[in-house]
mmCIF file of all heavy atoms in Angstrom:
data_model
loop_
_atom_site.group_PDB
_atom_site.id
_atom_site.type_symbol
_atom_site.label_atom_id
_atom_site.label_comp_id
_atom_site.label_asym_id
_atom_site.label_seq_id
_atom_site.Cartn_x
_atom_site.Cartn_y
_atom_site.Cartn_z
ATOM 1 N N ASP A 12 -11.011 27.294 11.155
ATOM 2 C CA ASP A 12 -11.163 28.060 12.384
ATOM 3 C C ASP A 12 -12.269 27.539 13.291
ATOM 4 O O ASP A 12 -12.227 27.753 14.504
ATOM 5 C CB ASP A 12 -11.372 29.548 12.091
ATOM 6 C CG ASP A 12 -12.640 29.834 11.316
ATOM 7 O OD1 ASP A 12 -12.977 29.041 10.412
ATOM 8 O OD2 ASP A 12 -13.300 30.847 11.600
ATOM 9 N N ASN A 13 -13.247 26.827 12.755
ATOM 10 C CA ASN A 13 -14.330 26.281 13.567
ATOM 11 C C ASN A 13 -13.832 24.988 14.219
ATOM 12 O O ASN A 13 -13.629 23.978 13.538
ATOM 13 C CB ASN A 13 -15.557 26.022 12.692
ATOM 14 C CG ASN A 13 -16.722 25.481 13.483
ATOM 15 O OD1 ASN A 13 -16.625 24.436 14.118
ATOM 16 N ND2 ASN A 13 -17.832 26.199 13.439
ATOM 17 N N GLN A 14 -13.651 25.035 15.529
ATOM 18 C CA GLN A 14 -13.050 23.894 16.222
ATOM 19 C C GLN A 14 -13.874 22.620 16.097
ATOM 20 O O GLN A 14 -13.311 21.536 15.920
ATOM 21 C CB GLN A 14 -12.816 24.208 17.696
ATOM 22 C CG GLN A 14 -12.103 23.076 18.404
ATOM 23 C CD GLN A 14 -11.689 23.410 19.813
ATOM 24 O OE1 GLN A 14 -11.738 24.557 20.224
ATOM 25 N NE2 GLN A 14 -11.262 22.404 20.548
ATOM 26 N N VAL A 15 -15.190 22.717 16.150
ATOM 27 C CA VAL A 15 -16.029 21.530 16.053
ATOM 28 C C VAL A 15 -15.858 20.883 14.673
ATOM 29 O O VAL A 15 -15.661 19.666 14.567
ATOM 30 C CB VAL A 15 -17.513 21.866 16.334
ATOM 31 C CG1 VAL A 15 -18.416 20.684 16.020
ATOM 32 C CG2 VAL A 15 -17.689 22.311 17.771
ATOM 33 N N PHE A 16 -15.905 21.699 13.614
ATOM 34 C CA PHE A 16 -15.744 21.164 12.266
ATOM 35 C C PHE A 16 -14.332 20.619 12.072
ATOM 36 O O PHE A 16 -14.147 19.560 11.470
ATOM 37 C CB PHE A 16 -16.063 22.246 11.229
ATOM 38 C CG PHE A 16 -16.197 21.719 9.828
ATOM 39 C CD1 PHE A 16 -17.294 20.960 9.456
ATOM 40 C CD2 PHE A 16 -15.222 21.971 8.887
ATOM 41 C CE1 PHE A 16 -17.423 20.464 8.171
ATOM 42 C CE2 PHE A 16 -15.332 21.476 7.599
ATOM 43 C CZ PHE A 16 -16.434 20.720 7.237
ATOM 44 N N ARG A 17 -13.330 21.336 12.596
ATOM 45 C CA ARG A 17 -11.934 20.880 12.499
ATOM 46 C C ARG A 17 -11.756 19.533 13.200
ATOM 47 O O ARG A 17 -11.177 18.604 12.642
ATOM 48 C CB ARG A 17 -11.003 21.934 13.097
ATOM 49 C CG ARG A 17 -9.523 21.640 12.917
ATOM 50 C CD ARG A 17 -8.636 22.770 13.440
ATOM 51 N NE ARG A 17 -8.808 23.002 14.864
ATOM 52 C CZ ARG A 17 -9.247 24.131 15.408
ATOM 53 N NH1 ARG A 17 -9.587 25.156 14.659
ATOM 54 N NH2 ARG A 17 -9.358 24.254 16.717
ATOM 55 N N ASP A 18 -12.275 19.423 14.411
ATOM 56 C CA ASP A 18 -12.161 18.167 15.162
ATOM 57 C C ASP A 18 -12.901 17.022 14.460
ATOM 58 O O ASP A 18 -12.404 15.894 14.406
ATOM 59 C CB ASP A 18 -12.698 18.331 16.587
ATOM 60 C CG ASP A 18 -11.812 19.214 17.458
ATOM 61 O OD1 ASP A 18 -10.676 19.547 17.055
ATOM 62 O OD2 ASP A 18 -12.288 19.606 18.552
ATOM 63 N N ALA A 19 -14.069 17.324 13.906
ATOM 64 C CA ALA A 19 -14.842 16.293 13.206
ATOM 65 C C ALA A 19 -14.099 15.814 11.962
ATOM 66 O O ALA A 19 -14.020 14.605 11.708
ATOM 67 C CB ALA A 19 -16.224 16.825 12.836
ATOM 68 N N LEU A 20 -13.549 16.741 11.187
ATOM 69 C CA LEU A 20 -12.774 16.348 10.007
ATOM 70 C C LEU A 20 -11.559 15.518 10.398
ATOM 71 O O LEU A 20 -11.257 14.518 9.753
ATOM 72 C CB LEU A 20 -12.320 17.590 9.233
ATOM 73 C CG LEU A 20 -13.198 18.047 8.102
ATOM 74 C CD1 LEU A 20 -12.644 19.319 7.485
ATOM 75 C CD2 LEU A 20 -13.399 16.990 7.051
ATOM 76 N N GLN A 21 -10.853 15.955 11.434
ATOM 77 C CA GLN A 21 -9.685 15.178 11.890
ATOM 78 C C GLN A 21 -10.092 13.774 12.281
ATOM 79 O O GLN A 21 -9.399 12.811 11.946
ATOM 80 C CB GLN A 21 -9.002 15.873 13.071
ATOM 81 C CG GLN A 21 -8.080 16.969 12.666
ATOM 82 C CD GLN A 21 -7.271 17.472 13.847
ATOM 83 O OE1 GLN A 21 -7.720 18.335 14.584
ATOM 84 N NE2 GLN A 21 -6.096 16.933 14.027
ATOM 85 N N LEU A 22 -11.193 13.638 12.986
ATOM 86 C CA LEU A 22 -11.669 12.327 13.413
ATOM 87 C C LEU A 22 -12.030 11.456 12.206
ATOM 88 O O LEU A 22 -11.588 10.315 12.095
ATOM 89 C CB LEU A 22 -12.876 12.487 14.336
ATOM 90 C CG LEU A 22 -13.498 11.200 14.863
ATOM 91 C CD1 LEU A 22 -12.517 10.476 15.786
ATOM 92 C CD2 LEU A 22 -14.785 11.502 15.595
ATOM 93 N N LEU A 23 -12.797 12.017 11.281
ATOM 94 C CA LEU A 23 -13.207 11.247 10.098
ATOM 95 C C LEU A 23 -12.015 10.872 9.216
ATOM 96 O O LEU A 23 -11.896 9.735 8.765
ATOM 97 C CB LEU A 23 -14.228 12.039 9.276
ATOM 98 C CG LEU A 23 -15.611 12.171 9.902
ATOM 99 C CD1 LEU A 23 -16.447 13.187 9.118
ATOM 100 C CD2 LEU A 23 -16.300 10.821 9.953
ATOM 101 N N LEU A 24 -11.135 11.819 8.976
ATOM 102 C CA LEU A 24 -9.957 11.535 8.143
ATOM 103 C C LEU A 24 -8.997 10.581 8.855
ATOM 104 O O LEU A 24 -8.332 9.773 8.220
ATOM 105 C CB LEU A 24 -9.256 12.831 7.752
ATOM 106 C CG LEU A 24 -10.063 13.760 6.844
ATOM 107 C CD1 LEU A 24 -9.353 15.106 6.683
ATOM 108 C CD2 LEU A 24 -10.334 13.127 5.494
ATOM 109 N N GLY A 25 -8.950 10.671 10.172
ATOM 110 C CA GLY A 25 -8.067 9.811 10.953
ATOM 111 C C GLY A 25 -8.468 8.347 10.939
ATOM 112 O O GLY A 25 -7.671 7.475 11.284
ATOM 113 N N MET A 26 -9.685 8.064 10.534
ATOM 114 C CA MET A 26 -10.156 6.685 10.468
ATOM 115 C C MET A 26 -9.762 6.008 9.155
ATOM 116 O O MET A 26 -10.008 4.830 8.973
ATOM 117 C CB MET A 26 -11.680 6.658 10.626
ATOM 118 C CG MET A 26 -12.138 7.196 11.969
ATOM 119 S SD MET A 26 -13.914 7.475 12.072
ATOM 120 C CE MET A 26 -14.521 5.798 12.053
ATOM 121 N N ARG A 27 -9.124 6.764 8.276
ATOM 122 C CA ARG A 27 -8.764 6.260 6.953
ATOM 123 C C ARG A 27 -7.285 5.885 6.913
ATOM 124 O O ARG A 27 -6.460 6.509 7.551
ATOM 125 C CB ARG A 27 -9.004 7.354 5.902
ATOM 126 C CG ARG A 27 -10.370 7.981 5.901
ATOM 127 C CD ARG A 27 -11.318 7.251 5.076
ATOM 128 N NE ARG A 27 -10.782 6.987 3.749
ATOM 129 C CZ ARG A 27 -11.511 6.906 2.673
ATOM 130 N NH1 ARG A 27 -12.800 7.112 2.741
ATOM 131 N NH2 ARG A 27 -10.969 6.613 1.501
ATOM 132 N N ALA A 28 -6.966 4.887 6.103
ATOM 133 C CA ALA A 28 -5.564 4.489 5.934
ATOM 134 C C ALA A 28 -4.899 5.237 4.784
ATOM 135 O O ALA A 28 -3.679 5.293 4.712
ATOM 136 C CB ALA A 28 -5.481 2.987 5.678
ATOM 137 N N ASP A 29 -5.704 5.845 3.901
ATOM 138 C CA ASP A 29 -5.137 6.476 2.702
ATOM 139 C C ASP A 29 -4.817 7.959 2.865
ATOM 140 O O ASP A 29 -4.215 8.568 1.983
ATOM 141 C CB ASP A 29 -6.049 6.267 1.492
ATOM 142 C CG ASP A 29 -7.491 6.670 1.741
ATOM 143 O OD1 ASP A 29 -7.862 6.958 2.898
ATOM 144 O OD2 ASP A 29 -8.258 6.686 0.760
ATOM 145 N N VAL A 30 -5.209 8.555 3.993
ATOM 146 C CA VAL A 30 -4.894 9.951 4.291
ATOM 147 C C VAL A 30 -4.475 10.070 5.751
ATOM 148 O O VAL A 30 -4.846 9.244 6.579
ATOM 149 C CB VAL A 30 -6.075 10.904 4.002
ATOM 150 C CG1 VAL A 30 -6.406 10.954 2.524
ATOM 151 C CG2 VAL A 30 -7.290 10.552 4.819
ATOM 152 N N GLU A 31 -3.707 11.123 6.035
ATOM 153 C CA GLU A 31 -3.241 11.353 7.398
ATOM 154 C C GLU A 31 -3.199 12.857 7.651
ATOM 155 O O GLU A 31 -2.558 13.602 6.902
ATOM 156 C CB GLU A 31 -1.843 10.775 7.580
ATOM 157 C CG GLU A 31 -1.193 11.106 8.891
ATOM 158 C CD GLU A 31 0.270 10.687 8.960
ATOM 159 O OE1 GLU A 31 0.855 10.307 7.915
ATOM 160 O OE2 GLU A 31 0.827 10.751 10.067
ATOM 161 N N VAL A 32 -3.900 13.312 8.684
ATOM 162 C CA VAL A 32 -3.824 14.713 9.078
ATOM 163 C C VAL A 32 -2.573 14.867 9.931
ATOM 164 O O VAL A 32 -2.476 14.309 11.015
ATOM 165 C CB VAL A 32 -5.080 15.175 9.849
ATOM 166 C CG1 VAL A 32 -4.917 16.614 10.323
ATOM 167 C CG2 VAL A 32 -6.326 15.022 8.990
ATOM 168 N N VAL A 33 -1.579 15.590 9.401
ATOM 169 C CA VAL A 33 -0.310 15.738 10.114
ATOM 170 C C VAL A 33 -0.324 16.923 11.058
ATOM 171 O O VAL A 33 0.496 16.987 11.988
ATOM 172 C CB VAL A 33 0.887 15.833 9.144
ATOM 173 C CG1 VAL A 33 1.056 14.532 8.374
ATOM 174 C CG2 VAL A 33 0.757 17.012 8.190
ATOM 175 N N ALA A 34 -1.237 17.874 10.832
ATOM 176 C CA ALA A 34 -1.373 19.025 11.720
ATOM 177 C C ALA A 34 -2.659 19.753 11.379
ATOM 178 O O ALA A 34 -3.204 19.592 10.290
ATOM 179 C CB ALA A 34 -0.183 19.968 11.580
ATOM 180 N N ALA A 35 -3.121 20.562 12.324
ATOM 181 C CA ALA A 35 -4.296 21.396 12.107
ATOM 182 C C ALA A 35 -4.046 22.754 12.733
ATOM 183 O O ALA A 35 -3.504 22.839 13.829
ATOM 184 C CB ALA A 35 -5.531 20.743 12.718
ATOM 185 N N VAL A 36 -4.413 23.796 12.005
ATOM 186 C CA VAL A 36 -4.307 25.163 12.509
ATOM 187 C C VAL A 36 -5.629 25.868 12.299
ATOM 188 O O VAL A 36 -6.419 25.481 11.442
ATOM 189 C CB VAL A 36 -3.141 25.947 11.847
ATOM 190 C CG1 VAL A 36 -1.809 25.310 12.183
ATOM 191 C CG2 VAL A 36 -3.325 26.079 10.350
ATOM 192 N N ALA A 37 -5.861 26.928 13.088
ATOM 193 C CA ALA A 37 -7.147 27.608 13.068
ATOM 194 C C ALA A 37 -7.103 28.976 12.407
ATOM 195 O O ALA A 37 -8.106 29.675 12.383
ATOM 196 C CB ALA A 37 -7.658 27.754 14.508
#
Side-chain angles (χ1 to χ4, degrees):
D12 63 321
N13 181 301
Q14 184 172 349
V15 171
F16 192 72
R17 186 176 61 242
D18 290 349
L20 266 177
Q21 278 189 274
L22 180 65
L23 289 170
L24 295 172
M26 298 169 69
R27 308 272 310 211
D29 52 351
V30 294
E31 173 188 10
V32 176
V33 295
V36 296

